[in-house]
Amino acid sequence: MRGYAICTEPRSGSVFLCRLLTSTGLLGRPTEYFNVDAVQTALGITGYPHDPEAQLAAIPALGATHNGVYGLKLFSSQFDDVRATRWAERLPQLSFIHLQRADLLGQAISLVRASQTQQWTSFRPALGEAAYDRALINDTLIGLARAQTRWAYYFARNGLPVLTLVSEEVVRDPQATAEAVGRLVGLPEAPRVDMAGIGDLGIQRDALSETWRARFIAESRDLGAFH
């Protein structure tokens, strides 16, 4: 067996990436295997274990396609939660993908809105109202920047080769993305993306997002400050 971990942060386009890789039928079934709710939603599995050790043991089976390639996704906060399992050392033939979003402010705004409304994907209804909060957006922006830097430091400190993906480029060319991941895990053939298998994942960014962006920049802009 061999596989990969998608290391990222929320609102990075990771659901789209996981679905497009799954659609190939050759690149595993990546999802948040250290998150019970995510597994139940993505795979329809009830009774998934809450214990991190049991979750780790389930990854090679649940996360793999018939060719023995498995995938998983995790955020830095989940790494903190399951650190004691030493998952990165125990998963077989593990490679690493660092998924980032070029538009960091857009990611922060998206995360604030999703946290307020609990609408994490476009096909789910909003359960609350979104309200502009400059301080919250700023704190979220800082948190995302720190979290992505934690990943970069982790890879560098451990001398790990990493496939870096940018979400905007993933959306622009899903097939090239799948082929890059295929090369990462050593597939003998090029995987083919089935766009029909990705499903309806609409872009949630809208006019309100752009209004918040313009307001935040207007209230925060200071070229003399370097925090």
Side-chain angles (χ1 to χ4, degrees):
M1 297 195 75
R2 73 274 200 206
Y4 56 88
I6 301 170
C7 305
T8 190
E9 296 305 318
R11 315 310 288 171
S12 62
S14 60
V15 173
F16 180 79
L17 176 60
C18 287
R19 287 197 177 188
L20 83 83
L21 296 177
T22 299
S23 79
T24 68
L26 295 173
L27 291 172
R29 299 197 297 169
T31 192
E32 296 170 52
Y33 288 104
F34 292 118
N35 180 336
V36 174
D37 291 339
V39 171
Q40 291 176 342
T41 299
L43 303 181
I45 295 175
T46 58
Y48 187 71
H50 287 75
D51 175 59
E53 280 289 336
Q55 293 170 342
L56 177 62
I59 291 172
L62 295 180
T65 38
H66 65 87
N67 58 349
V69 175
Y70 67 90
L72 70 148
K73 177 183 83 173
L74 75 163
F75 305 133
S76 57
S77 60
Q78 293 167 339
F79 193 126
D80 292 335
D81 291 340
V82 301
R83 186 193 305 267
T85 66
R86 303 192 71 85
W87 59 273
E89 298 168 68
R90 295 169 61 189
L91 287 171
Q93 295 294 310
L94 183 65
S95 298
F96 295 87
I97 297 171
H98 190 193
L99 174 64
Q100 302 179 71
R101 182 169 167 178
D103 181 9
L104 192 62
L105 177 55
Q107 185 177 358
I109 290 171
S110 178
L111 181 53
V112 168
R113 289 187 62 181
S115 299
Q116 290 176 336
T117 64
Q118 292 301 297
Q119 189 177 27
W120 295 98
T121 54
S122 59
F123 52 81
R124 287 187 174 184
L127 302 179
E129 293 293 327
Y132 176 83
D133 185 328
R134 183 212 167 271
L136 181 57
I137 294 172
N138 190 64
D139 288 346
T140 303
L141 181 61
I142 292 171
L144 287 171
R146 285 176 172 166
Q148 290 291 21
T149 301
R150 288 184 73 192
W151 283 123
Y153 173 71
Y154 176 76
F155 301 139
R157 178 172 55 81
N158 289 291
L160 298 172
V162 180
L163 172 62
T164 299
L165 297 177
V166 178
S167 62
E168 289 86 346
E169 296 174 2
V170 171
V171 171
R172 189 157 46 245
D173 198 341
Q175 181 57 39
T177 299
E179 291 174 8
V181 176
R183 290 191 294 271
L184 178 71
V185 297
L187 282 189
E189 71 271 49
R192 302 299 302 176
V193 172
D194 178 10
M195 294 303 294
I198 295 176
D200 182 20
L201 279 177
I203 295 175
Q204 292 179 267
R205 183 177 62 254
D206 56 18
L208 180 61
S209 302
E210 296 310 310
T211 298
W212 283 20
R213 178 195 298 273
R215 182 175 174 182
F216 177 83
I217 293 174
E219 295 174 352
S220 307
R221 186 176 176 84
D222 182 354
L223 296 181
F226 192 67
H227 298 292

